[in-house]
C-alpha cells in the first residue's frame, strides 16, 4: 500500500496544481495522504519530516532567492534590462529578430536577472521586432524561452540561477562545476534552438504565413492572474505579482552602465569561488554552533550571494538618479522572493515525507539499478521529478534530498568528479520541467498573448528536445572523458 500511496499522492499533486491549487496547501496535504497509505504517523511526518526539510531548504537558499529577486527588480526598474534588450536588437536588426531576442534574454538571465522579469521586458520588444520582420507571432514564446530558460539556467558555468545553486551543498561543488561540459551543453542547446526557430521562420515565409494576429497582454493583468501566479511561484524564484510594483525609470541608462552589474555578478562569483574562499581558513565551520559543516558545504551559496549583493550595491550606485523610488523597488524585489521559496520548500517537504516512507526503498533501488550507470540514473531521476512537480528547482531538490548522499558515495567509490554529477543533475532538471503545466510556460504564453495550441510545439523543440540532446551529450562525454 505504501507504493500505491506515493503514486496517489503524486497524481493528486500534479492534477490539483495544474488546476491552480496552491502548492502551500497541496504539498502537506498529499504528503499526509502518502503517509496514511503507508500507515505512518501523520502528525509526526507533517511537523517533523515535512516542516524540518522545508525549513532546511529555506535556511540554505533564502539568501539566493532574496538577493536574486532584489537584483532582478532593480535591474528592471532602473531600465537596465530594457536598455540591454534594445541595444542588442538595434545592432542585429529586424533581419535577425529571433537571434536578437534570444541573445538579449541570455545576457540578462546569465547576469542574474529572474527569467520572469525578463519575460515582461522582452515580450513587448519581441512583439515589435517580429511584427516589423513579419515573423509569426507564435514563435515569440519559444525564442524568449530559448534565451532565458535553457542554457543560462542549467548549463553555463557560473550561472547564478537557483537551479545551479541547489546541488552545491550536496556535492561540495561551485557554480562553475564541469565548466567545459557546461559550455558544450550550452552550445548544443543554443545551436539546436536557433536552427529549429530559423527553420520554422523559413517555412512560415515560404507558406506566406506572416506575423498573424495576437492578443496583446497587459503586464498588470498577467501579473495579477492568480492561476498564473500559483503556477509561476512554484517553478521559479520571482513572484510575478510584484512586477508592476515599484517604479520603472523612463530614462534608460547607457549600455555600459546597464551591463556593468551583470559583469560584477559573473566576476565576483568567479573570484569568490576560485580565488578568495579557497585561500581563507574556515575550519571553525566544523564547530557545532555553525552546524558542523565545512567550506565545501557553503562556499557555492556564499559565492553567489556575495556576487548578487555586490552587483546590487553597484547597480544602485550607478542608477541612483534613475531609480525614482529605491525603497519601493527594493520592497517589491524582497516581497517577490517570499512566495516562491515557500512554494518550492513545500515541494521539498513533500519529497522528504515520500523519501522517509518504507516503500520509497523500492523506488530508490529501481532508480539506482537503471542501466547505464549512475550518471544516466541521476539524469533520469531529476528529469522525472522535475516533470512531475513542474519545477526544476523543486524536482532537483527532492531528487538530491532523497538520493544526493547515495550519489556522492557512488561518485567517491567510482572516482567520478562530483562536479560532473552537479552539471548532469542541473541540466536534467531543466529539460522535462517545461511540460505544459510548468509555471514559466504558462506565464510566458500569457505575457506573449499566445496559447499552448499555437506556440507550445516550438517551445518543446527549443526548451525540451535541445536540452535533452545536450544532456545526452554531457552524459556520454562525462562517461568517456570524466569532468572537464
Amino acid at each position: 500500500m505504501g507504493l500505491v500511496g506515493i503514486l496517489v499522492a503524486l497524481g493528486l499533486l500534479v492534477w490539483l496544481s495544474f488546476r491552480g491549487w496552491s502548492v502551500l496547501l497541496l504539498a502537506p496535504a498529499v504528503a499526509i495522504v502518502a503517509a496514511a497509505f503507508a500507515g505512518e504517523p501523520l502528525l509526526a511526518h507533517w511537523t517533523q519530516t515535512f516542516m524540518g526539510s522545508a525549513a532546511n531548504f529555506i535556511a540554505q537558499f533564502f539568501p539566493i532567492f532574496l538577493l536574486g529577486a532584489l537584483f532582478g527588480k532593480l535591474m528592471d526598474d532602473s531600465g537596465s534590462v530594457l536598455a540591454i534588450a534594445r541595444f542588442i536588437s538595434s545592432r542585429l536588426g529586424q533581419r535577425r529578430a529571433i537571434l536578437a531576442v534570444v541573445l538579449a534574454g541570455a545576457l540578462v538571465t546569465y547576469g542574474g536577472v529572474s527569467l520572469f522579469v525578463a519575460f515582461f521586458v522582452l515580450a513587448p520588444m519581441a512583439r515589435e521586432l517580429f511584427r516589423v520582420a513579419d515573423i509569426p507571432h507564435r514563435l515569440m514564446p519559444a525564442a524568449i524561452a530559448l534565451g532565458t530558460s535553457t542554457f543560462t539556467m542549467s548549463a553555463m558555468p557560473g550561472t547564478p540561477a537557483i537551479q545551479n545553486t541547489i546541488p552545491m551543498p550536496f556535492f561540495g561543488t561551485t557554480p562553475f562545476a564541469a565548466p567545459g561540459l557546461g559550455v558544450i551543453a550550452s552550445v548544443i542547446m543554443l545551436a539546436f534552438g536557433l536552427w529549429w526557430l530559423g527553420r520554422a521562420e523559413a517555412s512560415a515565409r515560404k507558406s506566406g504565413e506572416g506575423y498573424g494576429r495576437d492578443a496583446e497582454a497587459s503586464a498588470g493583468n498577467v501579473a495579477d492572474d492568480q492561476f498564473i501566479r500559483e503556477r509561476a511561484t512554484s517553478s521559479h524564484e520571482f513572484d510575478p505579482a510584484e512586477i508592476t510594483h515599484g517604479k520603472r525609470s523612463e530614462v534608460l541608462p547607457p549600455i555600459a552602465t546597464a551591463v556593468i552589474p551583470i559583469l560584477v555578478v559573473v566576476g565576483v562569483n568567479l573570484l569568490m569561488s576560485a580565488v578568495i574562499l579557497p585561500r581563507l581558513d574556515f575550519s571553525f565551520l566544523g564547530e557545532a554552533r555553525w552546524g558542523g559543516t565545512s567550506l565545501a558545504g557553503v562556499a557555492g551559496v556564499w559565492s553567489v550571494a556575495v556576487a548578487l549583493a555586490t552587483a546590487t550595491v553597484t547597480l544602485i550606485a550607478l542608477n541612483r538618479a534613475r531609480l525614482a523610488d529605491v525603497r519601493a523597488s527594493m520592497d517589491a524585489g524582497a516581497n517577490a522572493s517570499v512566495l516562491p521559496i515557500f512554494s518550492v520548500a513545500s515541494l521539498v517537504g513533500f519529497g522528504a515525507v515520500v523519501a522517509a516512507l518504507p516503500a520509497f526503498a523500492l523506488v530508490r533501488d529501481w532508480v539506482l539499478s537503471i542501466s547505464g550507470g549512475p550518471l544516466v540514473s541521476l539524469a533520469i531521476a531529476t528529469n522525472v521529478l522535475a516533470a512531475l512537480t513542474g519545477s526544476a528547482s523543486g524536482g532537483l531538490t527532492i531528487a538530491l534530498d532523497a538520493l544526493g548522499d547515495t550519489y556522492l558515495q557512488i561518485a567517491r567509490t567510482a572516482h567520478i568528479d562530483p562536479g560532473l554529477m552537479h552539471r548532469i543533475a542541473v541540466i536534467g532538471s531543466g529539460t522535462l520541467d517545461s511540460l505544459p503545466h510548468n509555471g514559466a510556460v504558462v506565464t510566458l504564453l500569457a505575457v506573449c498573448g499566445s496559447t499552448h495550441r499555437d506556440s507550445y510545439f516550438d517551445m518543446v523543440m527549443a526548451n525540451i528536445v535541445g536540452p535533452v540532446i545536450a544532456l545526452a551529450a554531457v552524459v556520454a562525454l562525462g562517461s568517456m572523458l570524466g569532468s572537464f
Side-chain angles (χ1 to χ4, degrees):
M1 289 297 288
L3 187 58
V4 173
I6 292 174
L7 296 175
V8 169
L10 276 171
L12 288 172
L13 178 65
V14 172
W15 179 56
L16 292 175
S17 64
F18 184 68
R19 294 178 64 85
W21 283 73
S22 172
V23 170
L24 295 177
L25 293 173
L26 283 180
V30 296
I32 290 174
V33 169
F37 269 85
E40 294 272 297
L42 304 186
L43 291 176
H45 270 305
W46 186 10
T47 62
Q48 306 306 115
T49 310
F50 183 98
M51 291 306 303
S53 183
N56 184 60
F57 179 84
I58 294 171
Q60 280 187 311
F61 297 112
F62 184 59
I64 307 301
F65 275 77
L66 174 64
L67 292 169
L70 180 62
F71 178 69
K73 183 58 178 169
L74 288 170
M75 282 287 288
D76 183 26
D77 284 359
S78 68
S80 298
V81 177
L82 184 56
I84 292 170
R86 286 186 177 176
F87 176 82
I88 292 176
S89 64
S90 67
R91 290 297 182 271
L92 293 178
Q94 68 183 55
R95 293 181 59 186
R96 290 174 286 184
I98 290 177
L99 179 61
V101 171
V102 171
L103 293 184
L107 180 58
V108 297
T109 51
Y110 183 63
V113 175
S114 165
L115 61 85
F116 284 116
V117 173
F119 288 172
F120 283 89
V121 174
L122 291 174
M125 181 197 83
R127 181 176 286 109
E128 183 60 29
L129 285 174
F130 277 45
R131 182 181 288 118
V132 173
D134 205 28
I135 298 172
H137 164 263
R138 63 180 173 81
L139 298 179
M140 267 179 53
I144 294 174
L146 175 60
T148 60
S149 312
T150 57
F151 59 97
T152 59
M153 183 183 83
S154 64
M156 279 293 288
T159 174
I162 187 63
Q163 292 80 7
N164 193 44
T165 305
I166 287 170
M168 296 189 294
F170 295 95
F171 295 134
T173 48
T174 73
F176 296 87
L181 290 170
V183 170
I184 290 172
S186 299
V187 170
I188 292 172
M189 292 183 204
L190 177 61
F192 180 86
L194 288 175
W195 168 78
W196 177 264
L197 292 174
R199 178 180 177 276
E201 179 189 354
S203 176
R205 290 192 186 281
K206 186 176 179 180
S207 64
E209 179 179 348
Y211 178 76
R213 299 180 63 184
D214 67 323
E216 191 161 334
S218 162
N221 291 340
V222 173
D224 291 335
D225 187 300
Q226 286 302 306
F227 174 79
I228 292 175
R229 188 185 186 198
E230 289 296 343
R231 300 304 309 128
T233 52
S234 63
S235 63
H236 283 278
E237 68 280 6
F238 195 96
D239 184 350
E242 298 295 335
I243 285 287
T244 56
H245 296 171
K247 187 174 182 180
R248 184 179 294 173
S249 173
E250 296 180 0
V251 179
L252 300 185
I255 184 60
T257 302
V259 170
I260 284 174
I262 289 177
L263 298 179
V264 169
V265 171
V266 178
V268 173
N269 194 3
L270 180 59
L271 282 173
M272 289 292 293
S273 300
V275 179
I276 297 175
L277 291 180
R279 295 186 179 184
L280 299 177
D281 180 15
F282 289 99
S283 57
F284 66 87
L285 291 173
E287 298 175 14
R289 64 173 176 153
W290 306 114
T293 187
S294 65
L295 179 61
V298 297
V301 173
W302 285 4
S303 297
V304 176
V306 171
L308 289 171
T310 306
T312 299
V313 173
T314 303
L315 171 63
I316 294 173
L318 292 174
N319 294 278
R320 185 63 187 88
R322 280 177 287 272
L323 289 167
D325 193 336
V326 176
R327 184 193 62 78
S329 295
M330 295 185 73
D331 282 352
N335 292 338
S337 68
V338 177
L339 185 56
I341 194 168
F342 273 85
S343 296
V344 177
S346 293
L347 290 174
V348 172
F350 164 73
V353 172
V354 169
L357 301 179
F360 184 75
L362 298 173
V363 179
R364 182 183 64 244
D365 293 343
W366 173 78
V367 170
L368 296 175
S369 66
I370 293 174
S371 60
L375 300 183
V376 173
S377 66
L378 176 60
I380 292 174
T382 53
N383 259 286
V384 171
L385 286 168
L388 289 172
T389 59
S391 167
S393 52
L396 179 59
T397 308
I398 291 172
L400 295 182
D401 265 345
L403 301 169
D405 289 341
T406 302
Y407 277 111
L408 185 58
Q409 290 301 320
I410 291 173
R412 289 170 176 166
T413 302
H415 304 291
I416 298 173
D417 186 344
L420 178 57
M421 292 279 197
H422 171 131
R423 189 56 55 209
I424 287 174
V426 179
I427 297 175
S429 73
T431 51
L432 294 183
D433 74 313
S434 295
L435 292 181
H437 61 293
N438 174 263
V441 171
V442 173
T443 304
L444 180 55
L445 289 172
V447 171
C448 291
S450 191
T451 64
H452 283 83
R453 183 182 63 184
D454 292 335
S455 298
Y456 185 65
F457 177 70
D458 294 298
M459 294 184 71
V460 167
M461 298 304 295
N463 273 48
I464 296 179
V465 175
V468 166
I469 294 172
L471 177 61
V474 169
V475 170
L477 289 171
S479 299
M480 294 186 294
L481 305 176
S483 180
F484 60 90

